[in-house]
Structure formats: structure tokens, C-alpha cells
Amino acid sequence: MEHIISVTVENKFGVLSRVAGLFSGRGFNIESLSVAPTLDPSMSQMTIVTSGDERIIEQIVKQLNKLIDVIKVVDLNEAEFVSRETAIIKVHTKDADRAEALRIVDIFRANVIDSTPGTYTIEVSGDPKKIEAIIHLLQPLGIKELVRTGRVAVAREPVRPAAIQAKKIARD
């Protein structure tokens, strides 16, 4: 089963290498990995997509927590979360296909971010199924180049029932 693991780490040299080494050293696969600084420049946020049964994921989380530069590890599959991926797709566009490419871009709420006489460069964001669907539709036109970010994800905040919110407002 696929799992998305959110890891907050110290923004230091070699941390990414140690995290990747943990996975490779134990024979676990990283399907996608995204890393960027947080609002606090001394920390970075990693989003790791991997797969395995509950025992394997539990082992990964425990091993990540043992790394010295790791601040927090969360298996996002244990709660509600939102995830997105971005792709940039360069498509060959013959005169006859340009209108079809634009129609597909419009359907998927994507953007043409660059255009030449022979290509469109398209940017699209969404869940992985959306990315796969637009790639599938653009393939007959001739995809020249494709770059994907991998997923980023964040846990959703719990939604309190309206009755609890009303009591809190009445107390305030």
C-alpha cells in the first residue's frame, strides 16, 4: 500500500543523503521525494511517497525518528491529508494539433507557459490521477519532454462539529 510520509528535518548539509541512505540501506523504495525549506529557514519539509505493508511503514517511521537531524515524522495516511503534484509537459504541435492541445489544456485547467512554432509547454497541477490523465491525452500529439515534481502533501486540520463550535463562540 502506498504511504505518504511527512518529515520535518533540520536544514543542514547531508540530511537528504542520510534519509535516502536509510531507505536504500534497508531495501525500501522511494517512489517520489520532495524537499523544500519551511517558513523557518533552519528547517526543511520532506514529503516521501513509499509503499509497503503496515509493518514496513512502522519500521521506516521508527528508523527516520532515530536520525539525529529529524525533528518530526508523520505518516499522513493515518489521517486526512491533501496532496498535489505538478508536471511540465512539452508537446509537439503541428498546425492541425494546436487547437486540440489547447482544448486539452482547458479541460484540465492547465496553463500553456511557453509556446514556439513547433511546441507548447504545459504546466498542470493536481492529484496524480489528473496528471496521468492529461499525459495520456497528450501522448497522441507527441510528448517531447515530461518533468514531474513528485507529490507534496499536508495533513488536514480536523473539522469540529457545529455544536462544539457554537458552544465555544457562546463562551467567548
Side-chain angles (χ1 to χ4, degrees):
M1 181 177 169
E2 182 180 86
H3 281 258
I4 299 177
I5 301 172
S6 175
V7 186
T8 305
V9 297
E10 292 183 28
N11 192 3
K12 291 183 178 176
F13 175 82
V15 175
L16 175 60
S17 177
R18 284 188 285 284
V19 170
L22 181 147
F23 277 78
S24 65
R26 287 158 183 78
F28 302 137
N29 188 39
I30 295 175
E31 294 176 24
S32 79
L33 172 66
S34 176
V35 185
T38 63
L39 291 174
D40 178 350
S42 70
M43 296 189 297
S44 288
Q45 187 68 42
M46 293 184 172
T47 304
I48 304 169
V49 179
T50 189
S51 57
D53 60 28
E54 293 301 319
R55 186 185 61 77
I56 289 172
I57 301 303
E58 182 180 332
Q59 184 179 5
I60 289 170
V61 169
K62 284 180 182 177
Q63 293 296 319
L64 284 169
N65 274 311
K66 288 182 182 179
L67 293 177
I68 193 80
D69 297 318
V70 170
I71 297 166
K72 183 179 179 182
V73 179
V74 178
D75 178 1
L76 292 175
N77 291 62
E78 293 178 357
E80 294 288 320
F81 65 92
V82 178
S83 73
R84 290 290 179 262
E85 181 175 353
T86 299
I88 298 176
I89 310 162
K90 190 181 293 183
V91 180
H92 291 287
T93 52
K94 301 175 191 122
D95 287 338
D97 295 334
R98 289 177 83 80
E100 176 66 8
L102 291 174
R103 187 180 68 79
I104 293 169
V105 165
D106 188 48
I107 289 170
F108 284 88
R109 295 189 182 122
N111 298 304
V112 175
I113 57 173
D114 190 41
S115 176
T116 67
T119 63
Y120 280 147
T121 302
I122 300 163
E123 172 190 48
V124 61
S125 293
D127 64 51
K129 290 179 183 178
K130 177 181 178 180
I131 304 297
E132 290 295 331
I134 192 169
I135 290 169
H136 179 74
L137 287 176
L138 291 170
Q139 278 178 332
L141 302 179
I143 294 177
K144 184 175 182 178
E145 194 172 346
L146 169 66
V147 181
R148 293 173 76 162
T149 61
R151 276 193 268 179
V152 292
V154 65
R156 292 193 68 197
E157 291 296 317
V159 178
R160 295 185 291 186
I164 292 172
Q165 288 177 352
K167 288 179 185 177
K168 184 176 186 279
I169 292 169
R171 280 185 289 180
D172 294 342

